[in-house]
Amino acid sequence: MARTATVTRTTRETQITLTLNLDGTGKTDLNTGIGFFDHMLDGFARHGLFDLAVDCHGDLEVDCHHTIEDIGIALGTALRQALGDKAGLVRYGSCLLPMDETLALCAVDLGGRPYFVYDAQFATPACGGMDTQMAREFFYAVSYSSAMNLHLKVLYGENDHHKLEAMFKAFAKALDAATRLDARIDGVLSTKGTL
Ligand SMILES: [Mn+2]
């Protein structure tokens, strides 16, 4: 069964159509209106081997906040739908991702209990059109809308572009691992028998 989902989300602040394929090859079609954020989502999709299309018309005349947060909600919602009944799902994934001087850590559990732990500091207020503060808002939105336990931490680093990109790629690799299916798993991987 195809593990894909398309989410359309419209508010007075953003109009979003997002399509996610968990079993893709890293193909992207990204039009968020924020060049730097497109670059981050591109790194996420390519390194997670997800196909991801995002079309967003957001209130960028205000700032980047609603656009980035709402795309996080749409991505999390699509992820939750695409995972379906989670039968055979590996469930856990983690990655330590180096990018030049930066090292980022990501660990995820797709067990259905949302939790979010985040630790990253930045030297500058923005990279391109993306406020550095919005990384937290984006990943928090993904975690609660997909019911994911998500831990993200920048262990060290200097350059804010590297820190952000390392987090998106670490998230991609951890999520790729957690969304794999294992034929040895009978039903769902939980001692409770439900996810
Ligand atoms: Mn880059």
Side-chain angles (χ1 to χ4, degrees):
M1 218 174 71
R3 296 194 302 163
T4 67
T6 296
V7 170
T8 299
R9 190 177 188 277
T10 301
T11 71
R12 272 180 294 192
E13 296 169 341
T14 59
Q15 295 90 50
I16 298 168
T17 302
L18 183 151
T19 298
L20 174 70
N21 178 4
L22 291 177
D23 302 306
T25 57
K27 285 197 289 287
T28 59
D29 183 6
L30 304 167
N31 302 285
T32 69
I34 304 168
F36 188 87
F37 189 47
D38 285 348
H39 180 47
M40 293 300 103
L41 293 177
D42 189 57
F44 162 74
R46 285 180 190 275
H47 290 277
L49 297 168
F50 307 120
D51 293 342
L52 179 65
V54 182
D55 189 69
C56 177
H57 296 275
D59 57 354
L60 295 176
E61 72 282 2
V62 176
D63 65 8
C64 65
H65 194 114
H66 304 133
T67 293
I68 293 174
E69 181 177 39
D70 292 359
I71 289 172
I73 294 170
L75 178 61
T77 303
L79 174 61
R80 189 171 190 164
Q81 289 178 12
L83 284 171
D85 65 5
K86 299 184 181 177
L89 190 73
V90 168
R91 180 179 162 183
Y92 294 98
S94 62
C95 179
L96 265 178
L97 193 127
M99 184 159 188
D100 293 348
E101 85 297 343
T102 294
L103 188 67
L105 172 158
C106 182
V108 307
D109 172 13
L110 299 175
R113 285 154 57 106
Y115 209 96
F116 182 62
V117 179
Y118 178 93
D119 182 10
Q121 265 88 47
F122 300 97
T124 57
C127 283
M130 178 176 176
D131 296 350
T132 49
Q133 281 192 324
M134 287 310 299
R136 171 191 282 274
E137 301 306 310
F138 172 77
F139 287 114
Y140 176 52
V142 172
S143 76
Y144 68 71
S145 57
S146 64
M148 175 194 305
N149 182 336
L150 172 60
H151 292 242
L152 262 172
K153 181 178 176 70
V154 173
L155 296 170
Y156 46 79
E158 294 292 330
N159 181 278
D160 286 348
H161 186 130
H162 291 164
K163 290 179 187 175
L164 289 167
E165 193 164 336
M167 280 198 289
F168 277 83
K169 288 179 178 175
F171 177 56
K173 301 298 287 180
L175 190 61
D176 182 38
T179 55
R180 290 305 86 201
L181 301 176
D182 188 326
R184 296 172 299 174
I185 301 168
D186 184 22
V188 295
L189 190 57
S190 166
T191 49
K192 290 198 289 270
T194 182
L195 289 181

